[in-house]
Short mmCIF file of all heavy atoms in Angstrom, two decimals:
data_model
loop_
_atom_site.label_atom_id
_atom_site.label_comp_id
_atom_site.label_asym_id
_atom_site.label_seq_id
_atom_site.Cartn_x
_atom_site.Cartn_y
_atom_site.Cartn_z
N SER A 46 75.98 -35.01 -96.40
CA SER A 46 76.09 -36.38 -96.06
C SER A 46 75.01 -36.75 -95.06
O SER A 46 74.33 -36.07 -94.47
CB SER A 46 77.47 -36.61 -95.38
OG SER A 46 77.57 -35.80 -94.24
N ALA A 47 74.91 -38.13 -94.82
CA ALA A 47 74.02 -38.77 -93.89
C ALA A 47 74.82 -39.73 -93.01
O ALA A 47 75.61 -40.39 -93.52
CB ALA A 47 72.84 -39.43 -94.66
N ASN A 48 74.39 -39.76 -91.79
CA ASN A 48 75.03 -40.67 -90.86
C ASN A 48 73.91 -41.69 -90.38
O ASN A 48 72.86 -41.27 -90.03
CB ASN A 48 75.61 -40.06 -89.51
CG ASN A 48 76.71 -39.12 -89.91
OD1 ASN A 48 77.49 -39.27 -90.79
ND2 ASN A 48 76.72 -37.98 -89.16
N PHE A 49 74.31 -43.01 -90.52
CA PHE A 49 73.35 -43.96 -89.96
C PHE A 49 74.06 -45.27 -89.48
O PHE A 49 75.16 -45.46 -89.79
CB PHE A 49 72.24 -44.33 -91.02
CG PHE A 49 72.73 -44.89 -92.38
CD1 PHE A 49 73.03 -46.11 -92.52
CD2 PHE A 49 73.15 -43.96 -93.33
CE1 PHE A 49 73.54 -46.63 -93.70
CE2 PHE A 49 73.67 -44.50 -94.58
CZ PHE A 49 73.80 -45.73 -94.68
N GLY A 50 73.39 -45.97 -88.69
CA GLY A 50 74.02 -47.20 -88.10
C GLY A 50 73.78 -47.38 -86.62
O GLY A 50 72.82 -46.76 -86.14
N PHE A 51 74.59 -48.17 -86.00
CA PHE A 51 74.31 -48.50 -84.55
C PHE A 51 75.54 -47.92 -83.76
O PHE A 51 76.68 -48.22 -84.12
CB PHE A 51 74.35 -49.96 -84.36
CG PHE A 51 73.23 -50.69 -85.15
CD1 PHE A 51 73.47 -51.41 -86.21
CD2 PHE A 51 71.93 -50.58 -84.75
CE1 PHE A 51 72.57 -52.09 -86.97
CE2 PHE A 51 70.90 -51.18 -85.55
CZ PHE A 51 71.21 -51.92 -86.63
N PRO A 52 75.28 -47.06 -82.71
CA PRO A 52 76.33 -46.66 -82.00
C PRO A 52 77.06 -47.75 -81.19
O PRO A 52 76.43 -48.82 -81.00
CB PRO A 52 75.71 -45.60 -80.97
CG PRO A 52 74.22 -45.95 -80.95
CD PRO A 52 73.98 -46.62 -82.25
N SER A 53 78.29 -47.57 -80.79
CA SER A 53 79.03 -48.61 -80.12
C SER A 53 78.39 -48.90 -78.80
O SER A 53 77.96 -48.01 -77.98
CB SER A 53 80.43 -48.09 -79.85
OG SER A 53 80.53 -47.08 -79.13
N VAL A 54 78.33 -50.25 -78.47
CA VAL A 54 77.73 -50.69 -77.34
C VAL A 54 78.77 -51.64 -76.66
O VAL A 54 79.06 -52.76 -77.24
CB VAL A 54 76.42 -51.60 -77.55
CG1 VAL A 54 75.87 -52.12 -76.33
CG2 VAL A 54 75.31 -50.61 -78.23
N PRO A 55 79.17 -51.39 -75.45
CA PRO A 55 80.13 -52.37 -74.81
C PRO A 55 79.32 -53.34 -74.10
O PRO A 55 78.35 -53.16 -73.48
CB PRO A 55 80.88 -51.47 -73.86
CG PRO A 55 79.90 -50.29 -73.58
CD PRO A 55 79.17 -50.09 -74.76
N ILE A 56 79.86 -54.60 -74.11
CA ILE A 56 79.36 -55.68 -73.53
C ILE A 56 80.42 -56.30 -72.51
O ILE A 56 81.50 -56.82 -73.05
CB ILE A 56 78.91 -56.80 -74.56
CG1 ILE A 56 77.71 -56.27 -75.39
CG2 ILE A 56 78.39 -58.11 -73.70
CD1 ILE A 56 77.42 -57.23 -76.46
N ASP A 57 80.29 -56.19 -71.18
CA ASP A 57 81.32 -56.54 -70.27
C ASP A 57 80.91 -57.93 -69.73
O ASP A 57 79.72 -58.18 -69.15
CB ASP A 57 81.34 -55.66 -69.16
CG ASP A 57 82.41 -55.84 -68.31
OD1 ASP A 57 83.24 -56.70 -68.54
OD2 ASP A 57 82.61 -55.10 -67.31
N LEU A 58 81.73 -58.92 -69.97
CA LEU A 58 81.52 -60.31 -69.56
C LEU A 58 82.49 -60.61 -68.35
O LEU A 58 82.74 -61.93 -68.10
CB LEU A 58 81.64 -61.22 -70.68
CG LEU A 58 80.80 -61.14 -71.86
CD1 LEU A 58 81.12 -62.03 -72.94
CD2 LEU A 58 79.33 -61.24 -71.52
N ALA A 59 82.92 -59.60 -67.64
CA ALA A 59 83.80 -59.78 -66.47
C ALA A 59 85.21 -60.27 -66.88
O ALA A 59 86.14 -59.83 -66.26
CB ALA A 59 83.24 -60.76 -65.52
N VAL A 60 85.39 -61.08 -67.81
CA VAL A 60 86.70 -61.57 -68.31
C VAL A 60 87.07 -60.93 -69.58
O VAL A 60 88.17 -60.55 -69.65
CB VAL A 60 86.70 -63.11 -68.43
CG1 VAL A 60 87.94 -63.60 -69.01
CG2 VAL A 60 86.33 -63.87 -67.16
N VAL A 61 86.14 -60.73 -70.37
CA VAL A 61 86.36 -59.98 -71.68
C VAL A 61 85.26 -59.05 -71.96
O VAL A 61 84.10 -59.11 -71.60
CB VAL A 61 86.30 -61.02 -72.80
CG1 VAL A 61 86.51 -60.42 -74.13
CG2 VAL A 61 87.34 -62.27 -72.60
N THR A 62 85.76 -57.87 -72.53
CA THR A 62 84.88 -56.82 -72.90
C THR A 62 84.84 -56.54 -74.39
O THR A 62 85.85 -56.50 -74.94
CB THR A 62 85.18 -55.44 -72.25
OG1 THR A 62 85.25 -55.64 -70.81
CG2 THR A 62 84.26 -54.39 -72.61
N PHE A 63 83.63 -56.80 -74.97
CA PHE A 63 83.47 -56.54 -76.37
C PHE A 63 82.63 -55.22 -76.60
O PHE A 63 81.83 -54.80 -75.83
CB PHE A 63 82.52 -57.68 -77.03
CG PHE A 63 83.13 -59.04 -76.90
CD1 PHE A 63 82.67 -59.97 -76.08
CD2 PHE A 63 84.09 -59.33 -77.85
CE1 PHE A 63 83.17 -61.22 -75.85
CE2 PHE A 63 84.60 -60.66 -77.65
CZ PHE A 63 84.17 -61.61 -76.83
N THR A 64 83.04 -54.59 -77.78
CA THR A 64 82.45 -53.37 -78.12
C THR A 64 81.98 -53.58 -79.57
O THR A 64 82.75 -53.84 -80.46
CB THR A 64 83.34 -52.24 -78.02
OG1 THR A 64 83.83 -52.11 -76.65
CG2 THR A 64 82.55 -50.91 -78.37
N PHE A 65 80.63 -53.52 -79.81
CA PHE A 65 80.01 -53.64 -81.16
C PHE A 65 79.35 -52.20 -81.45
O PHE A 65 78.87 -51.51 -80.67
CB PHE A 65 78.92 -54.74 -81.03
CG PHE A 65 79.43 -56.07 -80.74
CD1 PHE A 65 79.27 -56.54 -79.56
CD2 PHE A 65 80.09 -56.72 -81.76
CE1 PHE A 65 79.74 -57.80 -79.14
CE2 PHE A 65 80.50 -58.06 -81.41
CZ PHE A 65 80.27 -58.50 -80.18
N GLY A 66 79.54 -52.05 -82.77
CA GLY A 66 78.95 -50.82 -83.38
C GLY A 66 79.42 -50.57 -84.80
O GLY A 66 80.46 -50.90 -85.17
N VAL A 67 78.37 -50.03 -85.62
CA VAL A 67 78.75 -49.65 -86.99
C VAL A 67 78.17 -48.36 -87.28
O VAL A 67 76.88 -48.16 -87.08
CB VAL A 67 78.20 -50.70 -87.87
CG1 VAL A 67 78.27 -50.34 -89.34
CG2 VAL A 67 78.69 -52.10 -87.67
N MET A 68 78.93 -47.36 -87.72
CA MET A 68 78.37 -46.09 -88.20
C MET A 68 78.91 -45.88 -89.61
O MET A 68 80.06 -46.15 -89.95
CB MET A 68 78.82 -45.00 -87.29
CG MET A 68 78.24 -45.00 -85.94
SD MET A 68 76.44 -44.91 -85.83
CE MET A 68 76.25 -43.22 -86.30
N ILE A 69 77.99 -45.56 -90.47
CA ILE A 69 78.33 -45.15 -91.87
C ILE A 69 78.06 -43.71 -92.15
O ILE A 69 76.96 -43.21 -91.83
CB ILE A 69 77.49 -46.08 -92.72
CG1 ILE A 69 77.88 -47.50 -92.56
CG2 ILE A 69 77.73 -45.70 -94.23
CD1 ILE A 69 77.10 -48.53 -93.41
N ASN A 70 79.01 -43.01 -92.69
CA ASN A 70 78.87 -41.60 -93.06
C ASN A 70 79.03 -41.56 -94.57
O ASN A 70 80.20 -41.79 -95.09
CB ASN A 70 79.88 -40.80 -92.36
CG ASN A 70 79.89 -39.28 -92.64
OD1 ASN A 70 78.88 -38.97 -93.44
ND2 ASN A 70 80.53 -38.46 -92.16
N ILE A 71 78.06 -41.32 -95.34
CA ILE A 71 78.12 -41.33 -96.82
C ILE A 71 77.53 -39.94 -97.28
O ILE A 71 76.60 -39.53 -96.88
CB ILE A 71 77.36 -42.52 -97.44
CG1 ILE A 71 77.65 -42.62 -98.86
CG2 ILE A 71 75.92 -42.38 -97.05
CD1 ILE A 71 77.20 -43.95 -99.49
N ASN A 72 78.30 -39.46 -98.32
CA ASN A 72 77.79 -38.27 -98.91
C ASN A 72 77.25 -38.47 -100.33
O ASN A 72 77.37 -39.57 -100.89
CB ASN A 72 78.99 -37.11 -98.91
CG ASN A 72 80.14 -37.47 -99.76
OD1 ASN A 72 80.08 -38.33 -100.67
ND2 ASN A 72 81.27 -36.93 -99.40
N VAL A 73 76.71 -37.49 -101.00
CA VAL A 73 76.13 -37.56 -102.20
C VAL A 73 77.14 -38.00 -103.28
O VAL A 73 76.76 -38.93 -104.15
CB VAL A 73 75.40 -36.32 -102.67
CG1 VAL A 73 74.89 -36.39 -104.15
CG2 VAL A 73 74.17 -35.88 -101.73
N ALA A 74 78.33 -37.43 -103.39
CA ALA A 74 79.31 -37.82 -104.32
C ALA A 74 79.70 -39.31 -104.23
O ALA A 74 79.83 -39.97 -105.13
CB ALA A 74 80.59 -36.93 -103.99
N GLN A 75 79.82 -39.83 -102.98
CA GLN A 75 80.09 -41.19 -102.76
C GLN A 75 78.98 -42.10 -103.32
O GLN A 75 79.30 -43.10 -103.87
CB GLN A 75 80.35 -41.53 -101.27
CG GLN A 75 81.67 -40.96 -100.71
CD GLN A 75 81.77 -41.16 -99.22
OE1 GLN A 75 80.87 -40.98 -98.49
NE2 GLN A 75 83.01 -41.60 -98.84
N ALA A 76 77.75 -41.78 -102.99
CA ALA A 76 76.60 -42.60 -103.46
C ALA A 76 76.67 -42.55 -105.04
O ALA A 76 76.42 -43.69 -105.54
CB ALA A 76 75.31 -42.07 -102.95
N VAL A 77 76.76 -41.46 -105.65
CA VAL A 77 76.80 -41.51 -107.22
C VAL A 77 78.01 -42.22 -107.71
O VAL A 77 77.73 -43.02 -108.67
CB VAL A 77 76.96 -39.98 -107.69
CG1 VAL A 77 77.18 -39.98 -109.15
CG2 VAL A 77 75.72 -39.20 -107.29
N LEU A 78 79.11 -42.13 -107.09
CA LEU A 78 80.31 -42.87 -107.59
C LEU A 78 80.15 -44.38 -107.36
O LEU A 78 80.70 -45.24 -108.08
CB LEU A 78 81.61 -42.35 -107.04
CG LEU A 78 81.98 -41.09 -107.62
CD1 LEU A 78 83.26 -40.50 -106.88
CD2 LEU A 78 82.32 -40.98 -109.09
N LEU A 79 79.60 -44.74 -106.22
CA LEU A 79 79.26 -46.12 -106.03
C LEU A 79 78.31 -46.77 -107.02
O LEU A 79 78.49 -47.85 -107.51
CB LEU A 79 78.77 -46.40 -104.62
CG LEU A 79 79.84 -46.31 -103.42
CD1 LEU A 79 78.98 -46.27 -102.04
CD2 LEU A 79 80.66 -47.39 -103.52
N LEU A 80 77.28 -45.98 -107.37
CA LEU A 80 76.44 -46.47 -108.39
C LEU A 80 77.12 -46.63 -109.76
O LEU A 80 76.93 -47.69 -110.42
CB LEU A 80 75.23 -45.49 -108.53
CG LEU A 80 74.16 -45.83 -109.56
CD1 LEU A 80 73.57 -47.18 -109.22
CD2 LEU A 80 73.18 -44.77 -109.59
N ILE A 81 77.97 -45.70 -110.07
CA ILE A 81 78.73 -45.72 -111.32
C ILE A 81 79.72 -46.91 -111.35
O ILE A 81 79.86 -47.65 -112.30
CB ILE A 81 79.46 -44.45 -111.55
CG1 ILE A 81 78.54 -43.28 -111.93
CG2 ILE A 81 80.50 -44.64 -112.79
CD1 ILE A 81 79.10 -41.94 -111.98
N ALA A 82 80.31 -47.19 -110.12
CA ALA A 82 81.26 -48.33 -110.04
C ALA A 82 80.65 -49.60 -110.28
O ALA A 82 81.06 -50.57 -110.83
CB ALA A 82 81.91 -48.27 -108.67
N ILE A 83 79.35 -49.67 -109.70
CA ILE A 83 78.56 -51.04 -109.88
C ILE A 83 78.18 -51.19 -111.29
O ILE A 83 78.29 -52.28 -111.86
CB ILE A 83 77.33 -51.00 -108.91
CG1 ILE A 83 77.89 -51.13 -107.50
CG2 ILE A 83 76.39 -52.13 -109.30
CD1 ILE A 83 76.79 -50.96 -106.51
N LEU A 84 77.68 -50.06 -111.94
CA LEU A 84 77.45 -50.19 -113.38
C LEU A 84 78.59 -50.50 -114.22
O LEU A 84 78.44 -51.31 -115.08
CB LEU A 84 76.74 -48.90 -113.79
CG LEU A 84 75.49 -48.53 -113.22
CD1 LEU A 84 74.90 -47.18 -113.55
CD2 LEU A 84 74.36 -49.56 -113.58
N VAL A 85 79.81 -49.96 -113.93
CA VAL A 85 80.90 -50.21 -114.65
C VAL A 85 81.33 -51.67 -114.47
O VAL A 85 81.70 -52.43 -115.38
CB VAL A 85 82.12 -49.28 -114.29
CG1 VAL A 85 83.46 -49.79 -114.79
CG2 VAL A 85 81.81 -47.86 -114.88
N TYR A 86 81.23 -52.21 -113.25
CA TYR A 86 81.50 -53.54 -113.00
C TYR A 86 80.64 -54.54 -113.78
O TYR A 86 81.19 -55.54 -114.27
CB TYR A 86 81.38 -53.78 -111.53
CG TYR A 86 81.52 -55.31 -111.05
CD1 TYR A 86 82.78 -55.94 -111.08
CD2 TYR A 86 80.34 -56.03 -110.76
CE1 TYR A 86 82.97 -57.26 -110.75
CE2 TYR A 86 80.53 -57.37 -110.46
CZ TYR A 86 81.70 -58.01 -110.47
OH TYR A 86 81.82 -59.25 -110.10
N THR A 87 79.30 -54.21 -113.98
CA THR A 87 78.51 -55.18 -114.71
C THR A 87 78.77 -55.12 -116.12
O THR A 87 78.45 -55.99 -116.79
CB THR A 87 76.98 -54.77 -114.39
OG1 THR A 87 76.74 -53.50 -114.66
CG2 THR A 87 76.79 -54.99 -112.82
N ALA A 88 79.35 -53.95 -116.63
CA ALA A 88 79.59 -53.86 -118.04
C ALA A 88 80.89 -54.44 -118.43
O ALA A 88 81.16 -54.73 -119.65
CB ALA A 88 79.63 -52.34 -118.39
N ILE A 89 81.82 -54.65 -117.47
CA ILE A 89 83.11 -55.19 -117.88
C ILE A 89 82.99 -56.68 -118.03
O ILE A 89 82.53 -57.41 -117.17
CB ILE A 89 84.13 -54.94 -116.85
CG1 ILE A 89 84.38 -53.30 -116.84
CG2 ILE A 89 85.43 -55.63 -116.94
CD1 ILE A 89 85.37 -52.94 -115.74
N LYS A 90 83.58 -57.25 -119.20
CA LYS A 90 83.68 -58.62 -119.41
C LYS A 90 85.15 -59.09 -119.32
O LYS A 90 85.94 -58.61 -120.07
CB LYS A 90 83.07 -59.00 -120.80
CG LYS A 90 81.72 -58.44 -121.12
CD LYS A 90 80.62 -59.23 -120.28
CE LYS A 90 79.30 -58.82 -120.65
NZ LYS A 90 78.35 -59.03 -119.59
N ILE A 91 85.42 -60.09 -118.53
CA ILE A 91 86.71 -60.59 -118.36
C ILE A 91 86.83 -61.78 -119.19
O ILE A 91 86.17 -62.74 -119.11
CB ILE A 91 87.08 -60.82 -116.89
CG1 ILE A 91 86.98 -59.53 -116.07
CG2 ILE A 91 88.43 -61.49 -116.77
CD1 ILE A 91 87.28 -59.61 -114.62
#
Side-chain angles (χ1 to χ4, degrees):
S46 64
N48 297 324
F49 56 92
F51 304 106
S53 60
V54 176
I56 299 174
D57 189 3
L58 300 176
V60 177
V61 178
T62 302
F63 294 106
T64 303
F65 296 103
V67 175
M68 291 299 291
I69 296 176
N70 181 3
I71 188 166
N72 63 26
V73 174
Q75 286 174 319
V77 169
L78 286 178
L79 283 170
L80 181 63
I81 291 171
I83 292 170
L84 292 175
V85 166
Y86 171 76
T87 58
I89 292 176
K90 304 290 183 205
I91 297 178

